[in-house]
Structures are given as structure tokens and as C-alpha cells.
Amino acid sequence: RGFSGLLRFFNTADYSETPSLVNISADSAIQKDYNESISGSDTNTWAADYTPDGSKVFVQLEGAETQVYDTQTKAYITALDFAHAEGSYQQVKFTRDGTRFGIRSGGSNTTGGFLFLYKTSDVVLDGSEPRQSGSATAVTLPDYTVSPVQPISYEPHAYAKMSFNKEWMGVRPDAGFKSFDWTPDNGVIAGGEMGRLVLLEECSGHGSLDAWMGGSCSCACEEGFEGDGCETCKTNYIGDVALPAVPSTCTLCTSADHCNNNAQSVTSDGGHDRCVCTCKAGFEGSQCEMCQTNYVPDQSVPTACTACTAGEYCSGHASAAPLYDNSSKACACSCDAVWEGDRCDTCTEGFIGGSTGCTECAAQMHCNGNAVSVSDDGTRSNCVCQCITGFSGAACAICSEGYVADGMPAAACTECTNAGNCSGNAMSVSDDGARAACVCTCADGFEGAACDGCAAGYILEALAPLACTKCENITHCSGNAFRVDDNGTRGECACECLTGFQGTSCDTCADGYVGDGARPPAACTECTNANFCNGNAEGVMWDNITAQCECTCPEGFEGDDCGACAPGHVGNAAVPTQCIPCSNATDCNGHAASVTDDGSRGACACTCLPGYVGGDCGACAAGYIEESGSCTLCSIAAHCNGHAVQVNDDGNRSVCVCTCMQGWSGATCDACAEGYVLDDEGTCIACTHDIYCNGGNGNATYADGACSCSCSS
């Protein structure tokens, strides 16, 4: 007191991360000297706290006034007046989620102090008047004259969990209320001097406050809890700890959960730590888990206890009172006739029924008189009949499979047989399912309800016994029918012949068709050019006398089937138009004296003109040369100027080769040889003095194709 207060703000980033001591200057622009502008020289600044979002600072002054500072505008925006005459306010603190805040008054060492709790939403922080003023609920901290708990250090204790609207029981007579803080779940840790802590929990952790202002706090408790601070269990509920401790759970007492479902009512005891069962008749035990004396349990922890009496336990079927064994909780019945079982509730063997009575199983009553024996089913529920042959069903009232009845229920059942019901002609015989008639499945070839007729496609061969023969293609239609059946009267088979066949048995060829020679024919072929004349005929006719095809062959073809080429023709008669006549122009290059076929009709044979050779007369003979597409005979006169001793071709039939006479030379012997000269008669004579120089009167000289004489004197 008597000191002014000064609030300074700092930026966290200005602090060094090193452990050395540094001097940090406060922001002078946001310094606030309370001595100058708030409460005068005798007002102390006790505490301050940020709102969790950092936008406001609550500054707690000595007395009841709280200044609100805006960190964005760096200005004080309002003053909150919580008018209480409970000593100086010394601490302000927000919850972590910002929904609530508390203001602590210090009190004295003997008065303890007060804690005022508010909802942030109930306080106006925009500079206008507060929504409410001077009406906060105080948690009174009285003189510390009672200490119901043991001293503890730094951790809460179950006995110290108290709600806000309960008196806070002191922890030490001479210790003042010095500090508080919020827990993460918005409970309060309150501390006094000498290191003592007390945990104040909202509604004992089992409810929520539904009023924070207006003079009092009240708790809305969870199911099963009650009390101003939800600190105890309701009637008919039990907790996990006994009073005065605050339970963490409260469980409803029920017959099913706590009395084995055998209680007519259940409630809790005074300490709310156990359930009290009022058992149903016949049950006893703290949890109604046992049967009373003279009652019999249905199991180890019974759901039913039955009185040991003839009427109740022995099902009313005992002639004497039952005997009760208290040690084993067992009841022994002496059953009446036709009853058995521990409780005389089961019929004896051979009887059926239940609690109302037992009936003896009898063939006449339960099996319609059609059983060889009858017994019960083992469960005493139904009678079991062993039926005589031909009868079946639970009560032997119907015929067995393969039997037919004379009525329902059946008095007589007659077996269905092949001989008796199907003329002996069935593959199988059965009843119709309704046991009213026999049903025959006839063998192949038979039909009728009694298999006494031939089936379609069969003909009657004999009557006694009935014999039916199947109409077969091979047997009745020579194998030449595409369909065979009976004629409708079962007297004869009817054949529908394949194309080309005729007759009642399809055993002859139809007109215009020729058989294969077999009797009856296996094949009948239509008389056509393609089938019988190799496609080469210019006419074809079927002879109705011989039943054969006759072909009229065109020029170039011959044979009964026009299947060969005629003389002078070559080719393949099996291929139509392939018999081609041989011709000089086409086959002999026009150089044949005559042409015909080679005898096999495979190729043409040419007789060549003189000067021509080759199969097609296509080459010149030796001594001939080809000139302008013809072969010309080499001659001395025509090709050697008459000056050759002989002439021939060059081997290639290209040019004639001359062998010149003496004195002549050149390809065609048209020049004088070396040493010869042409005389006046056109003859080459030797250039010699005896021939050219008149009998040797001088010398003859040959030079440059001329001969000269040197006459003698």
C-alpha cells in the first residue's frame, strides 16, 4: 500500500535463447502508470492475465476494479466493477479455452479469502457497460478451523474434490488463500500457505454448472448422481467407493444385475456401496442365488425354485408325498403307473403324451390296423408304426410306392406288376403317385395303358403272345428310304424312298435313273450329261428298255460316255471342250505336209515339208537357212556364184558356207584368190609366165591384184 503500480509489456522474440543475463527494455509506448491515471498513489496493481486469444489483458487493481487493455489498439477500453466487500482482489486468471475466468481476494491469514468465478460471455469487453455487475457467486473460504483431509503435496486427493457451490474445507487454521489456477478440464487448483493444495472439481466431475451468476451455483448431475455438488449416488444406485468419498460411477440396482433376476424388489443400502435384494418366493441369499428349504433348484444358480410337493414338483402324478433331501436340495417322487422321470412328467415306454395324460400306442388306434408292431418314438411324443408289406406312412394309412389302394385310408394295397398290369411288355411299372392306378412304362414297340398294342413305327407280327416288329429302312425299304413308318394300321411298313428310287420297298430305280448293278440297287444315278457323258455330249437319252443312258458325242469326242478324244484330236475328254483338233497352222507352224494325233491323243504328230524339222516343224533342216520366216536350200549357184565345189549351212541355219573352186575366194566365191586374176572370159587364171605370158616368153609378176609380164628379148 502506498506504492503505485506499473505494467510493462515485452515481445517474446526479444529474449535471447542463451542462458546469459540480458537487459530488455520495455515498450515505453505501452507503459501504463497506474499512479498517474488509474487509481491514485495508494492503489496497487496486483495481477494481470491475457485472454487466451491474446487480444485483451485483464489488469487487477487493489479493490474491486478490473481494467481491460486492448493489445491491438494499445489502449484501455473498459473498467469492470465487481463490487464485493471481501477484501482486496489479488489475482485474475482465464481458463485455457477462454470461456471462464476467476478473481481471487486475498483475505487474511485467518479469514482465508474468496474466489469469484465468471463466464467470459457474461462480461462486455467492447467499452460499454458490463452486462452484469456486482453479482458474482463467491466460494467462501472460512476460517481454517476444521481440517478433514490429510496434508498432501502437488497432487489431488479424492476427499478434497469439492464443487464450487460448496464450502471449501480449510487445510490449515493459520494459512491464507494465496493462489489458484485452472486445470485443463476447467477444474480449479487452490493453494494455501505451507505448501498445501486442494483440487476443486466442477460438480465432482459428474455434472455441469448451469448458473454462474445470480447469487448461487447449481449442478445438473449425470444419471445416478445427486447432491449440490453431484457428490453422492441417488437412492437405488451404488457407487464404486463408500461415503463420504465421491464415487466415480453410480450403478442402478436391478434384479437382473444384482439379484440373479430372482428378486421381487431391489434398492441400495445407506452407504450406497451395495444393493439389497428382496427375493421372490422360494429364493434366498444376499443375491437370491439359492433356493429355500423344501424347494428344488433347476441349476446351480437357479432361475426357478420349485416346491417339493406331489402336486408341484411331481407334476401331480405321484401317489405319495415326495421325500426332500436338504443337504442335496433334491426331491424324490414315487410316480403313478404309466409315468416316469425325476418329476413324473414323462410317459413310460410304449405310451405317448404329456402333463395332461399318457396314451398307450396301439396298432388299431394309431396304425389303422395295418402294422405288425407299434412303439413310441423315444421322446414319448408320437407312436411309431412298423407297417405290413404294401402300406406306408406314419399311421400306415397309405399304400407304399408301387402299390394301389382301394380307398383312403387304404384297407387293401395291391402291388403293380408287369405281368398283371402291363401285358408283360413294360420296362418298368409304378403307381401314379396318388396310389390310385398303376402306370406302365412300355418297352420299345409297345403302347397303351396296359402295353397291349404296337407302337407307331411297328407292325403286328403275332397276337399270342403279342409280337411287334419295328419298321426298318434296311429290312423293309432296301436301305433306300429317307423315312419309314407303319401304314397307320400297324399291318405293313410304309417307305418314303430317296430320290431316284421307287417301289413299295424302294428296290428299283425310278425312270430316268440308272442303277449300280446290284439287286436291289444301292445307288440310282440320274441320266444326265454330267453324270454319264462326262459333260461332253450334245445329246443324252434314257433307254427305258435297257434302263441305261445313251450319249450322242460331238465332233472330236468318242466312246459310250464321250470320255475319249477322236482321232486327230488331243486333250482330256474328262474336262469338257478339252478335245482339240490337230492343225498344220496351230501345231506344225504351217510347215507340215500332213498332221494327225500321236495315237495316245496326248499330242499332235507333224509330217514336215522338205527343209523343215522338229515335232512342230519349227526348225530348218541341215543345209537350209532361215530367210524371211522360211527355210531356203543352200545352193552353189544361188549362194556361191557357181564357183564352189560344195555348199552347206553354218550350223546355226543362219548363212550358207561355200567351199570355193581353185582360183576363187570370198564368202560367196565372188573374187579371185591371191595370185589369180580375172581373164576376159570371166575366169580366174593363175599369174604364171606359162599361163599368163603366152607360153613362158618372159616372167609373170603379181602385185595389188594384177599380173604383169616381163617379155624376153
Side-chain angles (χ1 to χ4, degrees):
R1 298 183 187 280
F3 293 95
S4 62
L6 187 65
L7 179 63
R8 297 191 180 193
F9 297 87
F10 299 88
N11 290 322
T12 308
D14 291 337
Y15 284 89
S16 170
E17 295 182 358
T18 62
S20 60
L21 182 62
V22 295
N23 293 321
I24 304 297
S25 298
D27 187 345
S28 60
I30 60 173
Q31 262 183 204
K32 190 67 178 177
D33 189 338
Y34 298 131
N35 186 44
E36 297 176 357
S37 60
I38 298 182
S39 300
S41 60
D42 59 352
T43 301
N44 288 326
T45 303
W46 281 100
D49 195 14
Y50 277 93
T51 56
D53 63 3
S55 65
K56 307 288 190 301
V57 178
F58 276 36
V59 181
Q60 184 60 54
L61 305 181
E62 186 177 8
E65 184 173 311
T66 302
Q67 292 280 330
V68 181
Y69 177 83
D70 190 304
T71 60
Q72 302 299 315
T73 62
K74 298 183 179 180
Y76 285 89
I77 60 173
T78 188
L80 305 177
D81 181 12
F82 302 105
H84 297 284
E86 304 294 349
S88 295
Y89 288 9
Q90 297 178 354
Q91 188 180 4
V92 60
K93 193 75 174 178
F94 279 90
T95 58
R96 297 183 186 186
D97 61 9
T99 59
R100 305 168 190 175
F101 67 94
I103 300 176
R104 174 183 64 83
S105 70
S108 66
N109 287 343
T110 58
T111 60
F114 297 91
L115 178 61
F116 299 92
L117 309 172
Y118 298 89
K119 286 185 177 179
T120 307
S121 60
D122 290 336
V123 179
V124 178
L125 301 178
D126 58 3
S128 59
E129 288 298 318
R131 201 169 298 154
Q132 299 185 49
S133 176
S135 58
T137 298
V139 178
T140 304
L141 308 179
D143 291 342
Y144 298 139
T145 57
V146 180
S147 180
V149 299
Q150 296 297 318
I152 55 175
S153 297
Y154 306 112
E155 56 186 23
H157 191 277
Y159 286 106
K161 291 183 179 179
M162 306 297 289
S163 65
F164 291 146
N165 64 337
K166 293 286 288 182
E167 286 188 349
W168 179 35
M169 306 304 293
V171 296
R172 189 177 177 86
D174 59 351
F177 177 28
K178 294 300 183 182
S179 182
F180 81 97
D181 199 1
W182 297 95
T183 63
D185 57 356
N186 293 347
V188 172
I189 290 286
E193 290 183 345
M194 306 303 291
R196 307 297 177 85
L197 292 177
V198 175
L199 173 64
L200 303 178
E201 192 173 54
E202 180 180 314
C203 299
S204 305
H206 301 304
S208 60
L209 291 173
D210 56 9
W212 282 80
M213 303 182 71
S216 65
C217 291
S218 62
C219 290
C221 299
E222 295 174 353
E223 175 67 27
F225 290 87
E226 66 180 5
D228 292 340
C230 306
E231 72 277 6
T232 187
C233 292
K234 288 182 177 180
T235 301
N236 294 335
Y237 285 78
I238 58 173
D240 53 351
V241 293
L243 294 178
V246 178
S248 60
T249 59
C250 288
T251 304
L252 178 65
C253 291
T254 65
S255 177
D257 294 333
H258 302 93
C259 307
N260 291 293
N261 214 26
N262 296 325
Q264 60 185 12
S265 65
V266 59
T267 185
S268 58
D269 68 346
H272 292 280
D273 62 342
R274 68 181 183 87
C275 295
V276 179
C277 303
T278 300
C279 299
K280 297 176 183 177
F283 293 90
E284 65 183 3
S286 62
Q287 297 179 346
C288 304
E289 73 278 10
M290 299 182 298
C291 289
Q292 293 177 333
T293 301
N294 287 324
Y295 281 81
V296 180
D298 61 348
Q299 54 190 11
S300 58
V301 178
T303 57
C305 292
T306 305
C308 184
T309 63
E312 185 171 350
Y313 188 79
C314 301
S315 308
H317 302 143
S319 57
L323 300 176
Y324 181 76
D325 186 339
N326 189 49
S327 61
S328 63
K329 299 287 186 182
C331 188
C333 299
S334 178
C335 299
D336 293 336
V338 310
W339 294 97
E340 65 182 10
D342 291 341
R343 301 186 63 173
C344 304
D345 54 359
T346 303
C347 296
T348 59
E349 184 177 359
F351 287 78
I352 58 173
S355 59
T356 57
C358 295
T359 302
E360 184 177 10
C361 291
Q364 192 63 41
M365 177 184 296
H366 298 98
C367 308
N368 291 288
N370 297 324
V372 294
S373 65
V374 60
S375 62
D376 69 273
D377 61 358
T379 66
R380 311 299 193 265
S381 300
N382 298 288
C383 293
V384 179
C385 302
Q386 184 178 347
C387 302
I388 61 177
T389 301
F391 290 86
S392 63
C396 302
I398 60 175
C399 291
S400 300
E401 184 177 353
Y403 287 77
V404 292
D406 60 354
M408 289 300 291
C413 294
T414 303
E415 185 179 10
C416 294
T417 65
N418 186 8
N421 303 96
C422 307
S423 308
N425 298 323
M427 292 189 298
S428 64
V429 59
S430 63
D431 67 274
D432 61 357
R435 309 296 195 268
C438 294
V439 178
C440 300
T441 302
C442 298
D444 290 343
F446 298 92
E447 66 179 7
C451 302
D452 54 358
C454 290
Y458 287 77
I459 57 175
L460 180 65
E461 296 287 355
L463 287 175
L466 184 67
C468 299
T469 300
K470 185 177 182 180
C471 291
E472 300 279 3
N473 187 9
I474 296 296
T475 304
H476 299 95
C477 304
S478 307
N480 298 323
F482 66 86
R483 180 182 301 140
V484 60
D485 204 345
D486 69 278
N487 64 355
T489 66
R490 310 297 194 266
E492 293 180 348
C493 293
C495 303
E496 294 187 42
C497 299
L498 294 169
T499 301
F501 294 89
Q502 65 182 3
T504 57
S505 300
C506 303
D507 55 354
T508 60
C509 289
D511 290 351
Y513 286 80
V514 179
D516 59 0
R519 290 292 182 268
C524 291
T525 306
E526 186 177 7
C527 182
T528 64
N529 187 7
N531 290 339
F532 286 92
C533 305
N534 290 290
N536 298 325
E538 58 185 10
V540 60
M541 182 182 68
W542 182 76
D543 189 331
N544 62 349
I545 301 300
T546 64
Q548 298 297 317
C549 261
E550 295 182 356
C551 303
T552 301
C553 300
E555 183 181 358
F557 294 87
E558 67 178 5
D560 291 341
D561 60 355
C562 302
C565 291
H569 293 74
V570 295
N572 183 5
V575 180
T577 72
Q578 288 299 303
C579 286
I580 301 171
C582 293
S583 71
N584 187 6
T586 303
D587 301 294
C588 304
N589 291 291
H591 301 143
S594 65
V595 60
T596 186
D597 68 275
D598 62 357
S600 68
R601 311 297 194 268
C604 293
C606 301
T607 301
C608 299
L609 292 169
Y612 294 90
V613 295
D616 59 354
C617 301
C620 293
Y624 288 77
I625 62 172
E626 184 179 356
E627 289 182 334
S628 302
S630 298
C631 292
T632 303
L633 178 64
C634 290
S635 68
I636 294 175
H639 298 93
C640 303
N641 291 292
H643 302 143
V645 294
Q646 66 176 17
V647 64
N648 208 340
D649 69 277
D650 61 354
N652 293 325
R653 311 298 192 264
S654 299
V655 295
C656 292
V657 178
C658 301
T659 303
C660 297
M661 295 178 179
Q662 185 177 0
W664 294 89
S665 67
T668 59
C669 301
D670 57 348
C672 291
E674 184 75 19
Y676 286 79
V677 293
L678 190 63
D679 65 6
D680 294 337
E681 296 178 358
T683 300
C684 291
I685 61 174
C687 181
T688 62
H689 68 281
D690 56 337
I691 295 177
Y692 192 78
C693 297
N694 296 309
N697 294 320
N699 294 321
T701 302
Y702 182 81
D704 298 326
C707 189
S708 62
C709 296
S710 297
C711 298
S712 52
S713 55

